Amino acid sequence: MKIAILGFGKSGKSVLDALLEKKQDEVFVFDDSKLPEKPNFFGGESAKLFFEMDFDLVVVSPGIPKHHPFIKYAKEKNMNIISELEFGFRLAKCKIIAVTGTNGKSTTVKLIYNILKKSGKKALMCGNYGLPLTKAAKVSSLLDYLVVEVSSFQLEFIDTFKPYIAIILNITQDHLSWHGSFEEYTKTKLKIAKNLTNDEYLIRNLDENYTVNAPNVIGFSAVKEDAQAKITQKNVIINFGKHFEIENTKLIGMHNMQNIAAASLACLICEIPKDTIKEVAMNQETLPHRLEYVCEIEGVKFYNDSKSTNIDSVRKAIESFENKQNIVVILGGKHKGESYANLMDLLTQVAGVVVFGEDRGKILSELHKLKPIPLPAVNVKGAVIAAFHIAKPGDIVLFSPGGSSFDQFKNFEERGEAFRAECLSFKEEYDKAPRL
């Protein structure tokens, strides 16, 4: 076969490695960025040679949007287009638990993995979390499960992808510039369930208003009494074959109770003992950059929620704390399309708001009715200092930007590390300062 790989990040590289190992296909690599000078590698300007060629199979990396000229050309020529997720699935030799959703994917993947590991099962985390699925598939014959974090970008070009357990945590507005509309975004997310049969399971949030066709649907809910998992702000009650409660967890907030519910239901399907599920869920630590406690300065606690890259994640972060009037929120980053005005019902209850980053002017404009007026800051350092001056002892400074990190950083991790560093640096300077 003549195969094209679009995009040469870690996903594209894993596909190339797998194909070269087979030594059966003629493989070409294309990327908008410059590539190493190797046979069949076309990067930058030379990538335009793609438009002069034809391929039996085109494997798309997650970073290539569906409106990219390469994709449009491949569709016009009726080439077979699949995602790296689909490619990796075809190589996998064990059961797959696939987790998608706008928020909470990584936490849920980690929790499922930790429960499986504690029970003695052999598992590996992959997809958006860690290794690409294609790379993880190479060792899958030695495993019981692959726990895969799946983004909407990866689901765009699936064909036969069919996990043993598919999980849809939530679907709220995000990546609108990529997908074009919330309807298209939702449609792409729901593709995770399109191939499920009576042998597979779908776990979903029953409180969300979308229709998905799957034979075995298991749900969690905050309002439906007959749900297999009932959630509140502080606990999860499981009623799925076994009946038990999970409470006093280190993970806080309703959104994390959803994550715990989904992970627990998945592990019950995998016949993991309820005591193991409870033990691991109760002791699961928050992942970095997700409501992560950083430090305390003069009675003001700082929390890093840099993973917050959409409006819904800001809402969930604020709602995770009981006393909203004691929260100073830091918003900002690169605007992603949904108005920050959609947070007005919550922002009118908090102690104050600071807005930083490239699109601070646009965000401040959307919040022009908010009183007291939000304070602007150019960067994270300025935001930390401004938030501290608004806060009083007993308050919380919540860094939950709601925008992408690409205005000033490579990713949300780098942004979160910058926030943590600025907090600790400010604390050190403040502690050294003479007191009057």
Side-chain angles (χ1 to χ4, degrees):
M1 288 178 68
K2 189 176 180 182
I3 300 175
I5 299 170
L6 302 186
F8 201 55
K10 62 180 183 179
S11 293
K13 289 174 182 176
S14 69
V15 173
L16 179 65
D17 290 343
L19 290 171
L20 292 179
E21 200 170 286
K22 285 172 58 181
K23 299 179 181 178
Q24 295 175 355
D25 305 291
E26 188 179 9
V27 185
F28 297 77
V29 178
F30 299 87
D31 197 292
D32 290 328
S33 301
K34 191 174 181 180
L35 291 177
E37 292 186 6
K38 294 182 178 180
N40 295 352
F41 274 53
F42 302 97
E45 281 296 310
S46 68
K48 292 179 181 178
L49 288 170
F50 180 80
F51 301 115
E52 301 174 17
M53 305 172 77
D54 198 3
F55 296 95
D56 301 302
L57 182 67
V58 177
V59 184
V60 183
S61 299
I64 308 294
K66 64 180 179 180
H67 50 74
H68 192 285
F70 290 165
I71 303 296
K72 290 182 178 179
Y73 174 77
K75 286 182 176 179
E76 289 170 4
K77 296 294 183 179
N78 293 315
M79 298 182 202
N80 184 14
I81 306 171
I82 65 170
S83 63
E84 180 272 324
L85 181 75
E86 172 71 24
F87 185 89
F89 169 75
R90 296 178 182 183
L91 300 178
K93 300 291 193 297
C94 68
K95 289 181 177 178
I96 288 177
I97 302 173
V99 182
T100 197
T102 306
N103 300 302
K105 297 184 291 295
S106 296
T107 298
T108 306
V109 164
K110 181 71 170 178
L111 182 52
I112 293 171
Y113 168 78
N114 284 344
I115 294 171
L116 293 173
K117 185 179 178 183
K118 180 74 174 179
S119 73
K121 299 293 184 183
K122 295 177 181 178
L124 188 63
M125 296 181 290
C126 57
N128 260 20
Y129 197 119
L131 300 173
L133 176 55
T134 299
K135 191 165 186 177
K138 292 177 69 174
V139 297
S140 60
S141 62
L142 305 174
L143 303 173
D144 298 304
Y145 298 96
L146 286 170
V147 189
V148 189
E149 179 178 327
V150 180
S151 71
S152 56
F153 311 144
Q154 294 166 313
L155 288 168
E156 187 71 55
F157 295 109
I158 63 167
D159 180 21
T160 63
F161 181 72
K162 184 173 66 173
Y164 174 55
I165 302 173
I167 300 174
I168 305 173
L169 293 169
N170 45 66
I171 303 177
T172 58
Q173 294 204 37
D174 199 10
H175 305 301
L176 300 188
S177 59
W178 186 288
H179 291 284
S181 68
F182 180 60
E183 289 72 25
E184 280 300 310
Y185 174 61
T186 301
K187 183 179 174 182
T188 304
K189 282 289 191 188
L190 297 183
K191 285 183 178 181
I192 196 171
K194 77 171 191 171
N195 296 315
L196 301 185
T197 68
N198 288 322
D199 296 323
E200 293 85 40
Y201 299 85
L202 171 65
I203 298 172
R204 61 161 291 185
N205 185 340
L206 296 175
D207 298 336
E208 294 194 337
N209 187 27
Y210 58 79
T211 301
V212 58
N213 294 316
N216 298 316
V217 179
I218 298 159
F220 55 89
S221 170
V223 295
K224 291 180 169 59
E225 295 297 333
D226 59 347
Q228 285 84 2
K230 184 76 186 299
I231 60 173
T232 72
Q233 188 76 14
K234 294 184 177 181
N235 72 344
V236 177
I237 298 173
I238 302 293
N239 189 19
F240 179 56
K242 297 179 173 65
H243 184 85
F244 59 98
E245 182 179 5
I246 301 171
E247 58 183 346
N248 300 319
T249 60
K250 293 181 180 180
L251 298 174
I252 61 172
M254 180 73 83
H255 64 295
N256 274 319
M257 296 306 110
Q258 293 178 354
N259 301 337
I260 290 170
S264 300
L265 291 171
C267 290
L268 283 172
I269 292 170
C270 298
E271 301 182 343
I272 307 302
K274 69 176 184 179
D275 291 341
T276 303
I277 295 171
K278 284 184 66 173
E279 179 186 352
V280 177
M282 288 173 65
N283 291 291
Q284 177 81 16
E285 301 279 356
T286 184
L287 296 179
H289 316 299
R290 297 159 176 85
L291 290 180
E292 174 191 24
Y293 173 73
V294 178
C295 66
E296 183 174 333
I297 307 173
E298 284 289 306
V300 177
K301 294 180 179 178
F302 289 76
Y303 283 83
N304 169 22
D305 194 42
S306 180
K307 182 61 174 69
S308 166
T309 57
N310 54 63
I311 301 302
D312 186 64
S313 59
V314 179
R315 178 174 294 279
K316 286 182 167 65
I318 295 172
E319 290 176 341
S320 296
F321 297 94
E322 290 186 3
N323 300 314
K324 298 179 183 63
Q325 69 272 18
N326 297 124
I327 301 174
V328 178
V329 185
I330 300 176
L331 304 173
K334 192 171 182 64
H335 204 289
K336 294 175 71 177
E338 185 183 2
S339 175
Y340 281 73
N342 291 337
L343 291 169
M344 284 292 287
D345 61 312
L346 285 177
L347 297 182
T348 53
Q349 301 177 53
V350 303
V353 176
V354 177
V355 181
F356 80 100
E358 177 184 292
D359 289 333
R360 62 189 180 279
K362 183 174 183 178
I363 298 169
L364 288 167
S365 176
E366 292 173 349
L367 300 177
H368 71 279
K369 293 182 180 179
L370 184 62
K371 305 294 182 189
I373 298 171
L375 295 181
V378 174
N379 52 30
V380 171
K381 180 176 182 178
V384 168
I385 295 171
F388 178 75
H389 285 301
I390 295 173
K392 61 184 184 300
D395 283 354
I396 287 167
V397 171
L398 174 61
F399 183 72
S400 190
S404 80
S405 56
F406 302 134
D407 58 335
Q408 298 177 346
F409 304 96
K410 292 179 182 177
N411 48 47
F412 75 83
E413 292 96 340
E414 185 178 81
R415 180 171 67 183
E417 292 300 332
F419 175 74
R420 184 190 292 119
E422 294 296 350
C423 289
L424 296 176
S425 175
F426 182 65
K427 174 178 171 60
E428 185 179 359
E429 292 176 12
Y430 191 89
D431 290 344
K432 288 180 181 177
R435 300 291 186 266
L436 297 177

